[in-house]
């Protein structure tokens, strides 16, 4: 690994930015990128779950990444999620991601069909071969992908020198330790990264060994995760935990809405900062009028939690 420091920190999962007609808004993408740079985050994770990648076409995902890079290159660590529901499209996005100079590519395992581990390894290695000069991050998110990363599959993938990290969104924080142990055994200390995925467990994940975090709620309240991370780095666990509790209460409140969490978060960013990022793409449910009180309360909770820092 060239530089582990570029992965150590708070890396928001980037949101899908749509215009009024529901098409990709590159202006919205650039505005959100500038906003996150100003907030002081370490990087961005583009085209993941929070980016609604599964609902977008290959050309749309290329346009989003190019718009992010036009603002972020040299200022943020950029990890591009390139996984699609087939190998050919994933390979095309991997090649494109390398061509625009991302720091790393990432991918979920194949979704819908539960494939044998040798097929999952080939899916990932084909993407990596299309981006031979780019580091590769395995994205473990069994609750959405339907397939979990096993130790045998990780050991197989560690034969690929470009595999430098796991983004671990599984809920057992012990998985972070197991993946870290295997990575260090293969690469040596300081040469393998595990990112914490569940935002509700940012502190737990960092304490058990995650080098940084990638999360879908970071972008709506980056100040909280930046503060948690700083407290953890100083060994101030009690202070980090207090902020984690605030963040969790906010996540639970946002999840009460009829509209999807991503729709709630984008609406809060519009109200707090004037960022026009649109709604969510169907079949994901958008906000309904009855969500107003929930959105307003979640925004007030975010503002109060930031004021306490
Ligand atoms: C299952 C899931 O979506 N997990 C999220 C979390 O950030 C999640 O949104 C958060 O913990 C709220 O539950 C991330 O691990 C994934 C993610 O942020 C992404 O790929 O966009």
């Amino acid at each position: 690994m060239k530089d582990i420091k570029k992965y150590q920190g708070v890396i928001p999962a980037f949101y899908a930015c749509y215009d009024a007609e529901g098409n990709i808004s590159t202006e919205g993408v650039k505005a959100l990128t500038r906003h996150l740079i100003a907030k002081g985050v370490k990087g961005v994770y583009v085209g993941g779950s929070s980016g609604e990648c599964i609902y977008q076409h290959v050309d749309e995902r290329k346009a989003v990444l190019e718009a992010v890079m036009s603002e972020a290159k040299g200022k943020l660590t950029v990890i591009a999620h390139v996984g699609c529901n087939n190998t050919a499209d994933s390979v095309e996005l991997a090649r494109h991601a390398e061509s625009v100079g991302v720091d790393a590519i990432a991918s979920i395992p194949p979704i819908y069909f539960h494939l044998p581990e040798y097929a999952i390894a080939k899916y990932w290695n084909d993407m990596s071969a299309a981006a031979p000069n780019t580091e590769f991050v395995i994205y473990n998110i069994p609750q959405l992908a339907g397939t979990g990363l096993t130790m045998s599959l990780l050991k197989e993938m560690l034969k690929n020198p470009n595999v430098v990290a796991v983004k671990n969104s599984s809920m057992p924080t012990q998985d972070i330790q197991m993946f870290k142990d295997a990575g260090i055994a293969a690469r040596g200390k300081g040469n393998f990264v595990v990112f914490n995925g569940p935002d509700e467990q940012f502190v737990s994940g960092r304490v058990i060994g995650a080098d940084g975090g990638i999360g879908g709620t970071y972008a709506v309240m980056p100040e909280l995760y930046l503060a948690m991370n700083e407290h953890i780095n100083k060994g101030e666990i009690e202070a980090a935990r207090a902020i984690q509790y605030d963040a969790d209460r906010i996540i639970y409140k946002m999840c009460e809405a009829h509209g999807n969490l991503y729709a709630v978060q984008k609406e809060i960013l519009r109200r707090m900062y004037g960022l026009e990022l649109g709604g969510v793409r169907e079949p994901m449910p958008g906000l309904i009028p009855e969500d107003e009180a929930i959105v307003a309360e979640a925004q007030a909770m975010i503002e109060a939690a930031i004021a306490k820092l």
Side-chain angles (χ1 to χ4, degrees), residues 2-300:
K2 293 182 274 296
D3 168 20
I4 194 172
K5 289 187 181 59
K6 68 182 177 179
Y7 297 125
Q8 291 174 315
V10 173
I11 302 180
F14 202 81
Y15 299 152
C17 303
Y18 300 120
D19 62 23
E21 288 71 46
N23 301 310
I24 297 293
S25 164
T26 50
E27 286 317 304
V29 171
K30 291 175 184 176
L32 180 57
T33 306
R34 290 192 297 270
H35 173 76
L36 292 173
I37 290 169
K39 287 293 185 183
V41 301
K42 188 73 174 183
V44 285
Y45 183 80
V46 184
S49 312
S50 308
E52 302 169 42
C53 62
I54 297 302
Y55 295 152
Q56 293 172 0
H57 306 294
V58 166
D59 289 345
E60 290 180 314
R61 291 176 64 176
K62 287 180 180 177
V64 168
L65 185 59
E66 288 168 15
V68 168
M69 292 303 287
S70 71
E71 298 288 344
K73 197 165 178 65
K75 297 176 185 168
L76 292 179
T77 297
V78 179
I79 303 171
H81 175 253
V82 298
C84 300
N85 60 14
N86 67 85
T87 296
D89 287 348
S90 308
V91 163
E92 182 177 344
L93 286 182
R95 187 173 298 115
H96 172 263
E98 178 161 296
S99 75
V100 299
V102 300
D103 292 279
I105 59 174
S107 180
I108 52 177
I111 58 174
Y112 193 79
F113 297 109
H114 291 202
L115 302 181
E117 290 192 356
Y118 54 81
I120 300 171
K122 186 176 189 306
Y123 171 77
W124 280 335
N125 283 323
D126 285 351
M127 287 175 227
S128 183
N133 305 303
T134 302
E135 293 176 335
F136 188 94
V137 180
I138 292 171
Y139 185 175
N140 183 43
I141 187 162
Q143 62 272 53
L144 295 187
T147 304
L149 178 64
T150 62
M151 294 308 288
S152 55
L153 178 54
L154 176 55
K155 286 176 182 152
E156 176 60 27
M157 287 309 298
L158 285 166
K159 294 174 185 172
N160 176 345
N162 278 345
V163 173
V164 297
V166 170
K167 175 189 179 223
N168 188 59
S169 293
S170 69
M171 297 312 284
T173 51
Q174 186 207 357
D175 288 348
I176 292 170
Q177 176 199 343
M178 305 314 287
F179 297 148
K180 192 91 179 158
D181 279 351
I184 288 171
R187 293 275 192 280
K189 193 166 172 56
N191 291 318
F192 192 78
V193 167
V194 178
F195 295 102
N196 181 78
D199 303 9
E200 298 87 339
Q201 301 179 24
F202 180 82
V203 173
S204 317
R206 286 279 286 109
V207 168
I208 203 168
D211 300 274
I214 297 175
T217 66
Y218 298 5
V220 77
M221 47 187 171
E223 300 88 343
L224 301 191
Y225 294 95
L226 289 166
M228 280 185 239
N229 201 53
E230 201 174 321
H231 284 306
I232 291 163
N233 288 339
K234 293 176 183 170
E236 298 161 347
I237 302 307
E238 183 61 39
R241 182 166 55 217
I243 302 168
Q244 179 78 77
Y245 282 10
D246 280 344
D248 291 358
R249 293 176 188 120
I250 292 162
I251 293 169
Y252 300 155
K253 174 54 64 179
M254 294 191 293
C255 290
E256 288 177 12
H258 168 95
N260 181 274
L261 170 64
Y262 308 150
V264 172
Q265 294 178 140
K266 287 186 260 191
E267 174 58 13
I268 290 172
L269 285 172
R270 189 185 68 78
R271 295 180 182 195
M272 290 180 73
Y273 303 103
L275 289 166
E276 294 295 347
L277 309 179
V280 289
R281 189 168 273 184
E282 289 183 324
M284 209 165 259
L287 296 179
I288 59 175
E290 292 80 354
D291 290 332
E292 169 56 33
I294 293 166
V295 172
E297 186 172 350
Q299 178 185 345

